[in-house]
Amino acid sequence: MKDFNASPSENAGPGWHGTTILAVRKDGKTVIAGDGQVSMGPTIVKGAARKVRVLAGGKVLAGFAGATADAFTLIERLEAKLEQYPDQLARACVDLAKDWRTDRYLRRLEAMLLVADATSIFTVTGVGDVLEPEHGVAAVGSGGNYALSAALALLENSDLDAEAIARKSMAIAASICVYTNGNLTVETLG
């Protein structure tokens, strides 16, 4: 049973790991890719989970890492913020992060979001961060740093488009991170 007085890290699931979410923006095209693996300790529980969603009538993409139910709660809240602030993704993300940080219920949620529209990418966290990457690439999850590194290298040293960079970077992450697989969900804007 969870101790609701403990810090979120003390309430973490029984060795739950895994996912890699990557956002890439290049030449007017924005892509979010997510792998399908969910692991519990050394066991793969599911290999084809869908962790990337299309929101706001196809104008916004969101991917999540962390506890699934928590992430769905946050995505629902983000959708409400997008309805409240149409075509203002940054404002919706900041408002969500503020609520996430200050609301007693929400601050116990354990997930991270990557959110993007045609022009911006944001990483949104439960500690109040809304981070916009400098180079049009962001990643979260167990294999996030592997995918991020690969995407940055491909962005600078190849003629690949955003989707090809995302797919290749996710394949590299899956070859390195045991909590990442090659079953991808890829959504594109632009």
Side-chain angles (χ1 to χ4, degrees):
M1 180 169 212
K2 279 192 173 190
D3 175 6
F4 290 101
N5 294 316
S7 70
S9 61
E10 294 171 10
N11 282 332
W16 290 95
H17 289 282
T19 209
T20 301
I21 304 295
L22 173 67
V24 178
R25 189 179 68 246
K26 182 180 179 184
D27 299 330
K29 190 174 182 183
T30 302
V31 175
I32 294 186
D35 80 311
Q37 184 163 307
V38 177
S39 304
M40 188 170 91
T43 305
I44 297 170
V45 178
K46 186 173 183 175
R50 186 173 170 81
K51 303 170 199 168
V52 178
R53 301 282 188 262
V54 179
L55 310 174
K59 294 179 183 177
V60 173
L61 303 176
F64 65 86
T68 305
D70 293 355
F72 284 156
T73 298
L74 293 167
I75 286 174
E76 287 173 6
R77 295 281 180 125
L78 177 61
E79 285 182 300
K81 298 294 182 187
L82 290 167
E83 288 176 14
Q84 185 177 357
Y85 307 115
D87 300 322
Q88 297 180 58
L89 181 61
R91 184 169 182 186
C93 288
V94 167
D95 215 40
L96 173 66
K98 183 180 84 177
D99 289 352
W100 192 355
R101 174 91 171 128
T102 59
D103 183 274
R104 196 169 178 177
Y105 166 74
L106 292 179
R107 73 175 162 232
R108 297 190 186 282
L109 300 182
E110 298 176 14
M112 291 182 76
L113 299 178
L114 272 186
V115 183
D117 62 11
T119 60
S120 303
I121 298 170
F122 297 102
T123 303
V124 185
T125 73
V127 294
D129 295 324
V130 178
L131 306 169
E132 186 172 17
E134 292 179 338
H135 304 290
V137 179
V140 296
S142 299
N145 286 336
Y146 305 117
L148 178 66
S149 297
L152 287 169
L154 291 169
L155 196 62
E156 294 293 320
N157 299 300
S158 76
D159 293 330
L160 298 174
D161 69 4
E163 184 173 341
I165 289 171
R167 287 181 181 279
K168 192 168 193 83
S169 299
M170 291 295 289
I172 290 168
S175 73
I176 298 169
C177 178
V178 297
Y179 299 111
T180 304
N181 70 17
N183 295 334
L184 299 182
T185 301
V186 179
E187 296 290 352
T188 304
L189 296 174

